[in-house]
Amino acid sequence: MERACLNCNEKIEGRIDKIYCSTYCKSSYHYKIKKKKTVTRFKEVNEQLKINRSILKHFHTTGKTIMRKEELFKKGFNPNFFTNYWKNSKNDIYLFCYEYGYLSLKEANKEKYLLINWQPYMQ
Ligand SMILES: [Zn+2]
């Protein structure tokens, strides 16, 4: 059976289990896969950040909004993806997706987020 190199598609000579024609093609192919994975991860993270931002934007109307976490999660919000954080004088850590921030809190035993807008003093 004729076999072709995974990287360059040239005919492979030699051992039956060979899948590349040369060590060059082997490393070239691995490099391409690695690069592709990085690009995909890059897109994936950007996509989640965009989703998070639009959800925060949607729910955060004026001033400070407090809402149940599950309301955000239902829309696809993932709190593990954020662009930066800000710690206030009480050591509360607000996470941000661009200009929209959220602080995890518990109110009446319910998991909630306090939504805020980024302000210049939070630099
Ligand atoms: Zn090859």
Side-chain angles (χ1 to χ4, degrees):
M1 203 183 82
E2 197 137 295
R3 291 162 298 132
C5 170
L6 263 186
N7 186 59
C8 70
N9 233 9
E10 286 294 311
K11 199 179 144 197
I12 301 177
E13 311 282 347
R15 277 181 19 223
I16 191 84
D17 57 343
K18 268 174 88 176
I19 49 177
Y20 307 100
C21 69
S22 61
T23 47
Y24 167 77
C25 275
K26 184 179 177 180
S27 53
S28 170
Y29 192 77
H30 283 270
Y31 174 75
K32 279 188 227 164
I33 289 177
K34 205 175 149 197
K35 205 171 143 197
K36 201 177 161 205
K37 273 190 190 154
T38 313
V39 169
T40 312
R41 180 67 184 155
F42 178 67
K43 278 188 186 162
E44 212 175 71
V45 171
N46 280 351
E47 212 40 56
Q48 187 60 55
L49 284 172
K50 269 196 259 171
I51 291 168
N52 282 358
R53 182 185 176 271
S54 63
I55 292 167
L56 292 169
K57 189 182 176 187
H58 174 80
F59 285 112
H60 183 52
T61 45
T62 50
K64 289 180 173 181
T65 309
I66 292 177
M67 51 181 309
R68 309 239 329 233
K69 285 183 181 180
E70 57 182 72
E71 292 301 314
L72 296 174
F73 295 157
K74 265 193 262 170
K75 301 276 183 202
F77 182 78
N78 184 337
N80 299 332
F81 290 76
F82 52 90
T83 55
N84 57 295
Y85 73 89
W86 176 69
K87 194 155 66 168
N88 69 10
S89 54
K90 287 184 273 176
N91 277 339
D92 296 325
I93 295 175
Y94 289 80
L95 302 178
F96 282 84
C97 285
Y98 306 97
E99 70 273 56
Y100 299 100
Y102 51 104
L103 173 70
S104 184
L105 47 90
K106 225 172 199 167
E107 226 185 40
N109 242 0
K110 297 221 159 53
E111 292 286 339
K112 295 185 177 181
Y113 280 128
L114 166 65
L115 309 183
I116 61 161
N117 271 110
W118 185 84
Q119 304 296 331
Y121 66 82
M122 295 171 178
Q123 200 66 271

